[in-house]
Amino acid sequence: VIDYEIMAVDIEDPYLMHPNLSRTNFIQKLTLHPVEGGLPDTTCQYQYCTLEDGEWTVNGALSFVDLDMNGMIDTFLQWFDPPVLEVQFPGTMNSDWQSTSNLTQEFMGMEFVSSTMIDSNKITGYGTLITPAGSAEALRNSNKHIDSIPNLPIVDVGNSIDFVSEDESIT
């Protein structure tokens, strides 16, 4: 389970000086709590996003997680070139969108292009979503992503389904 929170931009945020994140006009915070058999710590990711001309794009992300499992929280910066198209508005039943971008990452002072990402999204359902937190009318978005690493025969294919209510009270 991932908790989502939309946040205003803090003009003092030093990462807004990064040229790939400078167009950011809101931040989405994702919190992944520890799960059995998974990461033992809570992981926080801040996605630097832009909403303009009916398109919600993700410029990059800043994650705080103990990647090397040494008990110290690591900072992991990622950015996309071009930004990833998260949602194309208006979102209605059977709306679909795609984006392709290169993912560049910086970790422990090293910078590298780690993969090319292809994202495909389609709104595949609409109805009442009932959760322990309550119920709301929601859209179901199906996402398929393909990540390939340059010069290596490694490809990661993943699928996810997200439910989003209009007022974002249920995600």
Side-chain angles (χ1 to χ4, degrees), residues 100-139:
T100 301
S101 64
N102 289 319
L103 171 63
T104 303
Q105 304 183 72
E106 183 178 300
F107 177 64
M108 297 181 70
M110 297 181 293
E111 183 180 306
F112 53 97
V113 176
S114 62
S115 63
T116 299
M117 298 177 41
I118 301 171
D119 276 313
S120 298
N121 291 274
K122 184 171 187 172
I123 297 176
T124 57
Y126 175 79
T128 302
L129 178 64
I130 300 170
T131 73
S135 64
E137 296 300 303
L139 294 172

Side-chain angles (χ1 to χ4, degrees), residues 26-168:
F26 72 97
I27 293 174
Q28 179 176 231
K29 179 183 177 185
L30 288 74
T31 305
L32 174 63
H33 300 283
V35 292
E36 189 174 332
L39 290 172
D41 301 318
T42 298
T43 301
C44 290
Q45 182 182 75
Y46 296 85
Q47 292 184 343
Y48 288 71
C49 305
T50 302
L51 179 59
E52 63 185 19
D53 299 326
E55 293 186 348
W56 170 357
T57 56
V58 179
N59 305 310
L62 180 64
S63 299
F64 298 99
V65 62
D66 185 5
L67 286 173
D68 49 13
M69 304 294 231
N70 66 355
M72 297 175 61
I73 299 298
D74 301 305
T75 303
F76 193 58
L77 178 63
Q78 303 171 303
W79 59 92
F80 305 103
D81 185 24
V84 172
L85 180 57
E86 187 78 9
V87 181
Q88 195 165 36
F89 295 105
T92 57
M93 187 66 175
N94 293 319
S95 293
D96 62 346
W97 61 93
Q98 295 184 65
S99 68
T100 301
S101 64
N102 289 319
L103 171 63
T104 303
Q105 304 183 72
E106 183 178 300
F107 177 64
M108 297 181 70
M110 297 181 293
E111 183 180 306
F112 53 97
V113 176
S114 62
S115 63
T116 299
M117 298 177 41
I118 301 171
D119 276 313
S120 298
N121 291 274
K122 184 171 187 172
I123 297 176
T124 57
Y126 175 79
T128 302
L129 178 64
I130 300 170
T131 73
S135 64
E137 296 300 303
L139 294 172
R140 179 179 64 214
N141 177 43
S142 299
N143 170 269
K144 178 179 182 180
H145 73 269
I146 302 171
D147 298 342
S148 60
I149 298 176
N151 304 316
L152 291 175
I154 298 173
V155 176
D156 174 49
V157 178
N159 293 291
S160 65
I161 296 176
D162 296 315
F163 297 90
V164 182
S165 62
E166 184 176 9
D167 67 358
E168 296 181 7

Side-chain angles (χ1 to χ4, degrees), residues 6-17 21-28 46-51 59:
I6 302 295
M7 304 167 53
V9 173
D10 179 356
I11 58 170
E12 301 292 321
D13 185 335
Y15 291 98
L16 293 177
M17 302 297 275
L21 305 180
S22 63
R23 291 182 50 240
T24 297
N25 56 24
F26 72 97
I27 293 174
Q28 179 176 231
Y46 296 85
Q47 292 184 343
Y48 288 71
C49 305
T50 302
L51 179 59
N59 305 310

